[in-house]
Amino acid sequence: MGPVTGEDGIDRCPWAGGPGVMRDYHDTEWGNRAHGEAAYLERLTLEAFQSGLSWSTILNKREAFREVFAGFDAEAIAAFDDADAARLMNEPRIVRNRLKIAAAITNARATVALREQGGLEAFVLSFAPDRPPAPTTTAEMTTTSPESVALSKGLKKRGFAFVGPTTMFALMEAIGVFDPHLVGCHRRGAGGA
């Protein structure tokens, strides 16, 4: 399936065809280049929490995630202890998964450690594909790439958790490491990747 035309007459990727949080995310953020450690840590954390769930579930809980994870300040999260993990497990406004909460804390600590090697943003961007995909239909879209596999291995080697190749591919799409929009979507080429 190629881009779909919404009731507003605008062509979009099929998953964002109707009004709502998914369309808003598609039109304003997905595929735009993100900047800064907190932005990268937020997307990395949210992609991990999304695993096995719908992205709309995460988007609807995003403000609560930002609140309980200290605005995705890596040093603040890295200082979380067992009491903080228990607090998060009792927070009904977020996805309560013990392993994903532990991974978020682990990843914040790994993000702080990665500063010595240029930081999370530079590390992720170093895996940008030389020849980014340009799918015209959803059938041409993939869920992993050689670059996402390499990024996954690189992050795991540096102590990160819940960073599998599919999750890293979704991260790369979300933060504009490459343009994820279908050819013909009004957002194709607009993200600055």
Side-chain angles (χ1 to χ4, degrees):
M1 171 181 279
V4 297
T5 305
E7 81 293 341
D8 58 0
I10 297 176
D11 292 338
R12 293 180 178 86
C13 298
W15 60 267
V21 67
M22 294 293 282
R23 177 190 282 181
D24 294 344
Y25 174 70
H26 173 273
D27 285 0
T28 62
E29 185 175 352
W30 190 63
N32 288 352
R33 180 59 59 86
H35 300 283
E37 181 181 86
Y40 276 66
L41 183 57
E42 175 182 3
R43 293 346 181 277
L44 183 81
T45 302
L46 295 179
E47 292 293 348
F49 271 94
Q50 184 275 328
S51 182
L53 302 170
S54 73
W55 186 241
S56 62
T57 297
I58 300 303
L59 288 176
N60 286 319
K61 295 177 178 284
R62 190 175 194 180
E63 289 308 314
F65 273 107
R66 286 176 171 163
E67 180 187 327
V68 302
F69 281 105
F72 292 97
D73 177 284
E75 288 184 28
I77 301 167
F80 282 9
D81 59 16
D82 290 344
D84 291 301
R87 172 183 53 84
L88 293 169
M89 277 301 294
N90 289 313
E91 175 54 69
R93 299 175 300 147
I94 67 167
V95 174
R96 295 177 286 179
N97 178 298
R98 192 172 314 282
L99 293 176
K100 292 177 182 181
I101 289 169
I105 297 167
T106 294
N107 290 348
R109 292 173 182 157
T111 296
V112 171
L114 195 57
R115 290 175 182 168
E116 295 176 9
Q117 299 168 4
L120 181 60
E121 180 174 358
F123 188 79
V124 171
L125 291 177
S126 73
F127 291 89
D130 290 331
R131 294 179 45 191
T136 57
T137 67
T138 54
E140 295 173 11
M141 297 178 84
T142 62
T143 58
T144 64
S145 67
E147 295 83 7
S148 75
V149 171
L151 175 58
S152 171
K153 287 179 182 176
L155 288 172
K156 286 177 183 176
K157 185 176 180 181
R158 284 156 184 83
F160 286 78
F162 268 86
V163 291
T166 302
T167 301
M168 291 306 91
F169 189 82
L171 173 73
M172 295 168 91
E173 289 178 316
I175 61 176
V177 172
F178 61 87
D179 188 342
H181 295 276
L182 293 177
V183 172
C185 171
H186 81 103
R187 295 289 300 148
R188 181 80 191 171

